[in-house]
Amino acid sequence: MIQIKNLSCGYNNVSIIKNISIDIKEGSFVGIIGKNGAGKTTLLKSIAGLLKPYCGNIYFDGSDIYEMKKNLFAKKLSFMPQNMPIDFPFTVKDFIMFGRFPYMNIFKYASTNDYEIVEKVMTFTETKSFADRNILELSGGERQKVLIAQNLVQQTDVITFDEPTSHLDIGSQASIFKLLRTLNQKHKKTIITTIHDLNTAGEFCSHLILIDNGSVFSSGTTTEVLNYKDIEAVYNTTVVVKTNPVSNKPVVIPVFIEK
Ligand code: ADP
């Protein structure tokens, strides 16, 4: 579905991502992991059409995304940034409606269909109970659900997230990732997300891309990527990798050893 070929990109003519080639299959739940500053967000932004490659190409179903019309691409892939600054007191439902912009005519009036889609998505994301509240007054977990809802009304097959649960407590983290799992498994959305927490990545993702210093250190299924040797080499710390007996997914436990 998405093919990344020899991608190099970055800022101010300095390559952060260096010659990455990777395929992302339809229906997968891909986690981009790696140390702070490894280039996870930079890679995701480039996949989302927001950071033009210096070299290489990114194809969506065979078309170069940087040659596609912006409005057409916005109907195929949505992007949820990290720490999105919101400084206007929109109501939750108005804010979610902004996600319908790519579908509206030049006058940007919402149609009955737009309202129906927003309603449906608010039910799914459990945001309906605070639909009329001011977005600036929500808790971190509620706010993230609203941001996800805004992405969902865009009705794209691929949804990308930059650290969707940063700063959230473990309960809110689990509830967001369960929502993403339902989107992936039940609604057949392809999900690509940067993710800090290796256990969440291990539990919820089907595939992982481990980035180290702007290059792919390894990629594959979660079990393939989350092996102690690779994790220790990249993160420069000792870990034990176990298997969750219920889900059969890998669990990474840091072990602090003084040497
Ligand atoms: P990660 O998501 O893995 O923490 P990032 O992709 O955010 O890493 O950052 C990778 C590198 O790119 C870092 O060295 C960071 O300082 C640099 N960088 C990120 N955003 C910008 C920017 N807008 N301008 C210049 N450099 C940036």
Side-chain angles (χ1 to χ4, degrees):
M1 182 172 222
I2 297 176
Q3 274 185 306
I4 302 169
K5 280 201 172 154
N6 306 110
L7 173 73
S8 295
C9 62
Y11 313 93
N12 312 317
N13 287 320
V14 178
S15 286
I16 301 291
I17 293 301
K18 298 156 196 147
N19 200 24
I20 282 186
S21 295
I22 213 142
D23 281 2
I24 293 174
K25 291 200 171 67
E26 189 171 355
S28 51
F29 190 146
V30 179
I32 304 175
I33 58 172
K35 282 195 299 195
N36 291 331
K40 303 182 291 295
T41 299
T42 306
L43 173 62
L44 189 72
K45 277 194 205 157
S46 204
I47 297 171
L50 302 170
L51 199 60
K52 212 173 171 172
Y54 296 146
C55 293
N57 303 82
I58 302 174
Y59 299 100
F60 192 112
D61 289 339
S63 306
D64 187 318
I65 66 166
Y66 285 90
E67 285 171 8
M68 279 166 83
K69 284 211 167 102
K70 284 255 177 298
N71 221 30
L72 177 65
F73 187 58
K75 292 177 187 173
K76 293 187 176 293
L77 182 147
S78 64
F79 171 70
M80 184 176 120
Q82 199 182 338
N83 303 324
M84 183 170 168
I86 304 169
D87 40 27
F88 195 82
F90 299 110
T91 63
V92 164
K93 65 176 185 234
D94 283 349
F95 184 81
I96 295 172
M97 181 61 83
F98 295 149
R100 293 295 301 162
F101 259 42
Y103 292 90
M104 292 180 191
N105 61 28
I106 51 165
F107 301 109
K108 301 292 179 201
Y109 287 129
S111 66
T112 316
N113 185 39
D114 293 323
Y115 283 110
E116 279 171 10
I117 289 164
V118 168
E119 276 288 309
K120 237 175 157 172
V121 166
M122 284 199 301
T123 305
F124 174 71
T125 51
E126 295 169 352
T127 49
K128 221 170 166 173
S129 58
F130 45 87
D132 293 310
R133 276 180 58 195
N134 172 349
I135 192 165
L136 301 179
E137 291 167 5
L138 302 180
S139 73
E142 288 168 341
R143 188 179 187 272
Q144 288 307 88
K145 282 188 176 173
V146 172
L147 287 167
I148 291 171
Q150 194 193 58
N151 265 28
L152 294 190
V153 298
Q154 221 173 304
Q155 291 192 307
T156 60
D157 289 336
V158 182
I159 315 177
T160 67
F161 300 93
D162 192 9
E163 294 278 357
T165 57
S166 55
H167 315 303
L168 296 188
D169 62 67
I170 51 173
S172 306
Q173 232 179 72
S175 120
I176 296 281
F177 268 92
K178 281 180 191 162
L179 196 70
L180 302 194
R181 172 144 67 193
T182 307
L183 279 174
N184 174 247
Q185 294 183 350
K186 218 170 135 201
H187 299 263
K188 306 292 170 210
K189 304 284 185 189
T190 303
I191 293 185
I192 311 169
T193 182
T194 61
I195 179 165
H196 209 69
D197 183 77
L198 297 180
N199 291 330
T200 311
E203 182 60 40
F204 290 94
C205 297
S206 62
H207 295 81
L208 294 177
I209 304 170
L210 174 56
I211 302 290
D212 189 32
N213 195 19
S215 300
V216 176
F217 186 92
S218 70
S219 70
T221 64
T222 31
T223 316
E224 284 165 351
V225 174
L226 293 180
N227 67 80
Y228 84 92
K229 278 192 181 150
D230 287 354
I231 298 303
E232 288 187 353
V234 169
Y235 288 83
N236 201 24
T237 192
T238 312
V239 296
V240 172
V241 179
K242 297 268 189 195
T243 304
N244 177 334
V246 178
S247 64
N248 242 352
K249 300 285 178 66
V251 178
V252 181
I253 307 157
V255 181
F256 303 105
I257 299 174
E258 294 293 340
K259 287 191 178 159

